[in-house]
Amino acid sequence: MGWLREWKRKRVLKHHAIDDMLWQRSRKYLPFLKGLSPAQERRLREMAVIFLAEKEFTPVRGLQLSDQDRVEIALQACLPILELGLSWYDGWVGVVVHPSDFKVSRRQTDHDGVVHEWQDELAGESWPGGPVVLSWEALDDSGSVPEGGANVVIHEFAHKIDMLTGEADGVPPLPSREARERWLKVFDAEFDRFCTQVEKGRDTFLDPYASEDEAEFFAVASEAFFESPNALRGEYPRLYELFKGFYRQDPAQRLKS
Ligand SMILES: [Zn+2]
């Protein structure tokens, strides 16, 4: 089926493109797109076009999405996989966008058989094999502030990348056992260091929410890697290098000025 998909993608690219005006406007709102080489920029634009053709956007509760809105979501979603390839987002199609943060019901049975039920208010959510759910309000907040560090789209898509190995656990697919061992060593040490800082009540560069578990640490640090790479490199140099190797990108270099 590979050839069929390639053929369809070529057709999509033949008939659709992100025009220069839309790209320039997106770049203005998404300052972390600066510094890409012309080849990377071309690839990101093409990936976003295919992403828009293959994924199904569902705005809910009366929300309307303009072309610009969709393009901006697609560009942010594709940036992390720019050097990895669109196949990293295979196996699911839905992108659900709520107008604002949304409530989800949770239910868990503890060791004593007691059922706990509660509601969480979320800015985003993603499921293995299921859709990515985003809050437009949260999305509007992210990306617009240079070096702001928060980005709900990158956060949720980082979860998707993490989930490719099964459960979200902060360990994305890695090319070898050695690479996995190296990842666990550096990532776990940086996660422990971060959790200690949070426990001690210190001010942390990353949102303290990232201490929830390894999956959240991976997603929050991925946001910072693309949005505020220089700050991440300053605070967590070993983590930065690890991510640089994994994502095959060096955002601190391209956003240096
Ligand atoms: Zn998360």
Side-chain angles (χ1 to χ4, degrees):
M1 291 301 280
W3 66 270
L4 182 62
R5 183 153 79 165
E6 279 314 302
W7 179 77
K8 279 186 183 164
R9 286 183 170 177
K10 278 198 183 118
R11 261 180 71 94
V12 167
L13 290 176
K14 205 170 154 194
H15 297 286
H16 303 275
I18 294 171
D19 67 43
D20 286 342
M21 216 170 82
L22 208 53
W23 169 254
Q24 292 305 341
R25 218 179 308 150
S26 302
R27 258 184 52 145
K28 201 173 119 199
Y29 288 112
L30 309 171
F32 49 89
L33 295 181
K34 281 187 196 132
L36 295 170
S37 70
Q40 286 174 318
E41 192 184 299
R42 197 176 334 111
R43 190 157 5 107
L44 182 66
R45 283 165 77 161
E46 287 187 356
M47 283 169 97
V49 169
I50 294 168
F51 181 91
L52 288 167
E54 293 183 354
K55 300 298 179 204
E56 212 171 85
F57 278 63
T58 311
V60 295
R61 290 196 282 140
L63 181 72
Q64 306 272 345
L65 290 177
S66 66
D67 284 352
Q68 173 87 37
D69 298 336
R70 288 166 199 261
V71 163
E72 283 180 18
I73 293 174
L75 289 170
Q76 293 175 82
C78 291
L79 183 64
I81 53 158
L82 181 64
E83 302 297 339
L84 301 173
L86 263 177
S87 60
W88 285 60
Y89 292 157
D90 279 354
W92 58 274
V93 290
V95 179
V96 178
V97 191
H98 285 255
S100 54
D101 290 3
F102 48 94
K103 289 197 173 88
V104 289
S105 300
R106 305 280 195 211
R107 189 185 157 96
Q108 201 171 43
T109 309
D110 68 19
H111 295 306
D112 301 323
V114 180
V115 177
H116 301 267
E117 289 182 349
W118 70 98
Q119 285 210 317
D120 272 345
E121 193 163 282
L122 302 175
E125 192 175 37
S126 42
W127 292 91
V132 170
V133 188
L134 301 164
S135 145
W136 181 254
E137 203 174 60
L139 211 135
D140 216 15
D141 287 343
S142 57
S144 53
V145 185
E147 298 284 304
N151 186 305
V152 69
V153 181
I154 292 176
H155 182 106
E156 294 310 326
F157 281 85
H159 281 320
K160 275 290 188 196
I161 290 169
D162 185 358
M163 283 172 198
L164 283 170
T165 50
E167 248 181 289
D169 58 0
V171 189
L174 293 158
S176 64
R177 209 175 65 191
E178 291 75 32
R180 194 183 143 82
E181 277 164 13
R182 193 166 55 242
W183 181 277
L184 288 172
K185 200 169 148 219
V186 175
F187 186 87
D188 287 354
E190 293 288 69
F191 178 58
D192 287 346
R193 185 160 74 90
F194 176 72
C195 289
T196 307
Q197 289 171 334
V198 173
E199 274 161 29
K200 287 186 176 162
R202 300 231 177 95
D203 275 347
T204 51
F205 159 63
L206 296 174
D207 191 321
Y209 170 68
S211 66
E212 184 122 326
D213 56 31
E214 287 88 344
E216 293 310 328
F217 188 62
F218 175 69
V220 172
S222 292
E223 296 177 57
F225 179 74
F226 290 104
E227 279 237 344
S228 325
N230 284 291
L232 183 74
R233 192 170 62 174
E235 295 280 334
Y236 302 96
R238 295 184 69 210
L239 191 68
Y240 183 86
E241 287 304 313
L242 194 69
F243 278 32
K244 186 174 124 184
F246 169 66
Y247 285 115
R248 298 182 213 155
Q249 296 187 50
D250 191 357
Q253 179 65 28
R254 67 175 181 243
L255 294 174
K256 216 156 53 181
S257 57

